[in-house]
Amino acid sequence: MMKISALAIVALAAALGGCDRTERPASEPAPVSPTPVASSPAASTPDPAQAWLGRWNGPEGAYLQLDAAGEGRYEVRIKDLDAERKFEGVGKDGTVQFERDGKQESIKATNGDATGMKWLAGKSTCLTVHVGEGYCRD
């Protein structure tokens, strides 16, 4: 009984799979399937901040409101004990970055414990600007 190795089977399948039954002159090249155009990484990578749109609550009436403002751009509204302020944000590397009082800030997805705020401890769906400033959804 003749033994056939797995490699020989794969090679044979590849050779037969590439055959077509249309006869062509030997000088004519085989038809080539069109190569798909690769999309840009930005177009194929979903922006996680799209799932963050809407209101996120902090302690004592504070909140963060994130709204879309164009592709990859966001309006960030943050209400603290004093007032609501608006900032222009940009989605970058899985965060929303914005400038506040001359300092670059970054909003990222975390849990309540990562906010460093006892009022939000134990919550699972949160956004954190930095330790001590976080907002969650229940």
Side-chain angles (χ1 to χ4, degrees), residues 111-115 117-126 136-137:
N111 61 27
D113 296 336
T115 68
M117 303 173 75
K118 67 181 180 182
W119 302 276
L120 303 178
K123 296 192 181 268
S124 60
T125 308
C126 302
C136 298
R137 288 186 174 155

Side-chain angles (χ1 to χ4, degrees), residues 21-108:
R21 295 174 188 212
T22 306
E23 292 189 29
R24 288 182 298 280
S27 61
E28 185 181 312
V32 178
S33 300
T35 304
V37 177
S39 60
S40 70
S44 63
T45 305
D47 183 357
Q50 289 296 308
W52 305 345
L53 297 178
R55 188 172 173 148
W56 296 76
N57 297 312
E60 300 179 358
Y63 63 82
L64 180 147
Q65 175 78 32
L66 189 64
D67 295 308
E71 190 168 333
R73 295 182 19 247
Y74 300 91
E75 178 181 84
V76 179
R77 290 186 287 151
I78 297 177
K79 162 94 171 52
D80 60 17
L81 296 175
D82 298 323
E84 180 185 86
R85 297 173 64 194
K86 293 180 185 180
F87 308 95
E88 292 181 17
V90 176
K92 185 175 181 185
D93 299 328
T95 68
V96 173
Q97 298 179 358
F98 66 99
E99 185 175 322
R100 176 172 55 186
D101 301 328
K103 181 179 178 189
Q104 193 66 27
E105 302 279 12
S106 184
I107 302 168
K108 59 187 165 291

